[in-house]
Amino acid sequence: MKVVILAGGYGTRISEESHLRPKPMIEIGGRPILWHIMKIYSHYGFSDFVICLGYRGYMIKEYFSNYILHLSDVTFDMATGETIYHSSKAEPWRVTLVDTGSESMTGGRLKRVGEYLGETFCLTYGDGVADIDIRALTDFHLRHGREATVTSVVPPGRYGALAIESGQVKSFTEKPAGDNGRINGGFFVLNRSVLDRIDGDHIAFESAPLEGLARDGELMAFPHEGFWRPMDTLRDKNQLEELWQQNRAPWKVWS
């Protein structure tokens, strides 16, 4: 089962970083968040990736082109032109990089990579991490037999909450979770038939395709109760970095 990763957007809400590189290339712990996402999937045996490129996509191509070089001890024999790798730290990944256009919406990007996909595949965004059990997610999808599965999560709270009685604050809770109910966590499993619901580059996957699936009874929710974080803002990025540096990153399910 292949894994499609949407990595072509502009990332305008984190422009402090994304004006220099694609949002999925913003680093957590010295590695792009894209790498962290791929490590999550690979831990569960999903190692065949199709990455949808757009804004500054050449930087993602260059990253994977030089991946082994950057992670290995190497000798360059300048006389012969030979390159000798002394220790290879390559991942067991197959990575297909597809230019899906600079202005395409999420649905359009997915439609464009259809030729590389089988009958069932995973889909996620290139800017969020979780300690989600990908194997349990895919098994859930295969059991229920519908066209699509979306992971539902409880969003982290953004603001502190006050409990007030007669004008007096009785308690204060710092950033309570779930203040917006359960939301789309961005980890999908889809049947190929979903591509027929996407009319072109201008279609956002989260609009007509998902709305139509829900209306037709073809969209099931896989509840994830554990850690989940998007990297929408610089504040989000800094929080993820802090967790990583303190060796408290829940999404690091690999050893």
Side-chain angles (χ1 to χ4, degrees), residues 19-83:
H19 75 286
L20 297 173
R21 49 190 162 178
K23 188 178 180 184
M25 293 301 294
I26 296 174
E27 294 182 352
I28 303 297
R31 300 286 183 90
I33 193 169
L34 177 62
W35 177 88
H36 292 259
I37 295 166
M38 295 170 74
K39 288 288 283 186
I40 294 169
Y41 277 95
S42 183
H43 174 73
Y44 291 100
F46 297 83
S47 300
D48 195 342
F49 299 95
V50 179
I51 302 179
C52 303
L53 306 180
Y55 172 67
R56 295 184 181 268
Y58 67 90
M59 297 183 72
I60 298 178
K61 288 184 178 180
E62 290 173 353
Y63 175 76
F64 285 105
S65 175
N66 296 311
Y67 188 87
I68 298 176
L69 177 63
H70 289 168
L71 296 181
S72 302
D73 296 332
V74 61
T75 295
F76 296 101
D77 189 320
M78 309 307 288
T80 65
E82 183 181 10
T83 300

Side-chain angles (χ1 to χ4, degrees), residues 71-204:
L71 296 181
S72 302
D73 296 332
V74 61
T75 295
F76 296 101
D77 189 320
M78 309 307 288
T80 65
E82 183 181 10
T83 300
I84 304 170
Y85 294 96
H86 300 289
S87 60
S88 177
K89 300 177 183 177
E91 305 287 349
W93 297 344
R94 178 181 174 88
V95 184
T96 302
L97 304 171
V98 184
D99 184 355
T100 56
S102 60
E103 302 298 330
S104 299
M105 301 295 283
T106 50
R109 296 189 190 282
L110 176 57
K111 183 86 168 184
R112 283 199 181 200
V113 300
E115 64 183 286
Y116 301 100
L117 306 178
E119 289 304 312
T120 307
F121 57 93
C122 295
L123 170 70
T124 195
Y125 304 107
D127 61 358
V129 290
D131 58 353
I132 182 172
D133 186 333
I134 301 296
R135 181 61 63 183
L137 168 63
T138 55
D139 287 348
F140 173 81
H141 177 81
L142 295 173
R143 283 197 307 271
H144 66 61
R146 309 293 175 87
E147 285 189 66
T149 298
V150 58
T151 298
S152 70
V153 299
V154 176
R158 294 285 185 180
Y159 306 101
L162 303 177
I164 302 174
E165 293 181 12
S166 302
Q168 180 182 349
V169 177
K170 293 294 186 180
S171 66
F172 175 82
T173 304
E174 176 69 7
K175 302 169 189 171
D179 46 9
N180 292 317
R182 300 190 74 90
I183 65 171
N184 166 17
F187 291 87
F188 299 90
V189 185
L190 307 172
N191 291 353
R192 186 177 182 82
S193 57
V194 169
L195 300 179
D196 297 333
R197 296 175 179 266
I198 304 171
D199 291 334
D201 287 350
H202 64 289
I203 299 296

Side-chain angles (χ1 to χ4, degrees), residues 226-245:
F227 178 89
W228 172 84
R229 288 292 186 281
M231 190 184 66
D232 287 334
T233 66
L234 184 60
R235 177 174 175 271
D236 296 329
K237 187 263 186 189
N238 290 338
Q239 288 177 343
L240 292 173
E241 180 70 33
E242 182 179 0
L243 287 171
W244 185 267
Q245 295 301 333

